[in-house]
Amino acid sequence: MSLIITDECINCDVCEPECPNEAISQGEEIYVIDPTKCTECIGHYDEPQCQQVCPVDCIPHDPNFKESEEQLMEKYLVLTGQL
């Protein structure tokens, strides 16, 4: 699954620089995650870094983008030019 940032986001700016895929950007009101770039940090880290640094716990899995670990790894390989 991709991750999503909920309305509880306080725009603290800590998640964006932590994303190795540059999937997080400032939206109109809160930060947003591009599901085509989010690999939940698979290929980079053991855990999603944005979730680790978020002070308000507003980054759950996005139920609209269900992906297996294998699919996330394939996305990582495509994004990094290894596939």
Side-chain angles (χ1 to χ4, degrees):
M1 280 189 196
S2 173
L3 301 173
I4 189 170
I5 298 176
T6 65
D7 291 341
E8 287 84 28
C9 175
I10 59 171
N11 289 316
C12 65
D13 302 321
V14 298
C15 61
E16 182 182 23
E18 294 299 319
C19 181
N21 296 323
E22 299 179 352
I24 300 174
S25 61
Q26 179 65 50
E28 287 189 33
E29 294 185 27
I30 60 173
Y31 278 87
V32 294
I33 297 177
D34 180 346
T36 65
K37 292 182 177 179
C38 180
T39 63
E40 293 184 44
C41 291
I42 287 180
H44 295 283
Y45 302 104
D46 292 333
E47 298 176 357
Q49 297 302 288
C50 58
Q51 287 180 330
Q52 297 302 307
V53 298
C54 181
V56 292
D57 194 28
C58 67
I59 309 175
H61 288 99
D62 185 344
N64 296 317
F65 291 96
K66 295 183 180 187
E67 298 168 294
S68 67
E69 281 194 38
E70 291 80 21
Q71 290 171 309
L72 292 169
M73 179 56 83
E74 185 174 332
K75 188 189 309 184
Y76 160 76
L77 294 172
V78 170
L79 289 170
T80 58
Q82 298 179 50
L83 183 68

